[in-house]
Amino acid sequence: MPRRSQTETAVLGALSVEPMTGYAVRAAITSTLGHFWNESFGQIYPALERLAANGLVVRDAEKRFVLTDAGLDRLRELLSEPFEEAPARNGLLLRLFFGRMLGREVCVELLEEARSSSQRTLETMAGIRAVVEAESDSPDQLYFLVTIAAGEASARAQVQWATESIALLSR
C-alpha cells in the first residue's frame, strides 16, 4: 500500500472514532497511533483536503471533519487491503552493526539507553491499558487492547534483547 493510502487510512480511521479538526486529527494520531504509526502535519492536511474533495469527509458547523458514508466505505476498503511490511530503519541496530568503530563501552551505553527507553514504554503502555480497560462501553476497546498488547510485547522483547546483548558485550 503506498504511503498516500496509509495516510488516508490513518486519517479516516481517526475520524471514524469521532469528528475532529485537522489539528485534533494530528493530535489523535500522535497520542493514540503514535506508538506504532506516525504522520506529519505535511501529510495530514493535504490528505484531509483530498478526502474532502472526494466527498469522503465534510466539515460541520464547528469546522470539524466528519466521516461520510462514502468515507466509511473507503476506510473499510483500505483496511481490507493486504498490508505491506516496510523495511525497518533502526538507528540503534545500524550503530551496533558497526559497533567495532564505537567500541564495546559505547555500544553497552547505547543498549542501556534502549533498555531504559523500552522500560519507560512499558510503563506508558500500562497507563494506556488502564485507561482503555476503564472505558468498557467503547466498541473499539478490544481492538485498542490488541494494539496495546503488541506494544507491550515489543517493549518486553526489546528489554530482554538489550539485557542479553549487554551481557554478551560485557564478556
Side-chain angles (χ1 to χ4, degrees):
M1 184 181 296
R3 178 71 182 169
R4 184 171 170 175
S5 293
Q6 295 282 355
T7 301
E8 189 176 326
T9 303
V11 171
L12 289 171
L15 292 173
S16 75
V17 175
E18 66 181 327
M20 295 180 231
T21 64
Y23 182 83
V25 168
R26 170 68 172 125
I29 289 174
T30 300
S31 67
T32 58
L33 303 180
H35 300 286
F36 60 90
W37 192 258
N38 185 358
E39 295 291 343
S40 71
F41 280 117
Q43 295 164 316
I44 291 172
Y45 284 102
L48 284 166
E49 294 306 318
R50 281 191 308 275
L51 294 169
N54 292 327
L56 303 176
V57 299
V58 294
R59 286 194 183 225
D60 66 10
E62 298 172 32
K63 303 289 187 201
R64 298 177 306 172
F65 289 93
V66 179
L67 197 61
T68 65
D69 289 341
L72 187 57
D73 290 342
R74 176 66 177 148
L75 174 60
R76 286 186 178 121
E77 176 187 322
L78 289 167
L79 291 172
S80 297
E81 292 176 357
F83 70 93
E84 292 180 19
E85 288 286 336
R89 292 178 58 95
N90 186 316
L92 174 60
L93 290 179
L94 181 64
R95 283 156 183 75
L96 293 173
F97 187 82
F98 296 109
R100 180 174 55 87
M101 300 296 159
L102 295 172
R104 287 185 187 200
E105 280 185 31
V106 172
C107 290
V108 167
E109 288 172 12
L110 291 171
L111 287 161
E112 287 171 344
E113 288 174 29
R115 181 172 56 189
S116 293
S117 176
S118 294
Q119 288 167 331
R120 285 190 302 275
T121 297
L122 282 170
E123 292 167 10
T124 299
M125 289 290 166
I128 294 168
R129 175 178 285 283
V131 169
V132 170
E133 287 176 342
E135 297 172 355
S136 60
D137 61 337
S138 170
D140 296 313
Q141 183 189 43
L142 291 175
Y143 308 101
F144 291 171
L145 289 172
V146 166
T147 58
I148 291 166
E152 291 167 333
S154 178
R156 280 192 304 271
Q158 183 84 351
V159 168
Q160 180 181 348
W161 166 77
T163 300
E164 292 170 0
S165 297
I166 289 167
L168 181 64
L169 288 172
S170 298
R171 286 186 188 167

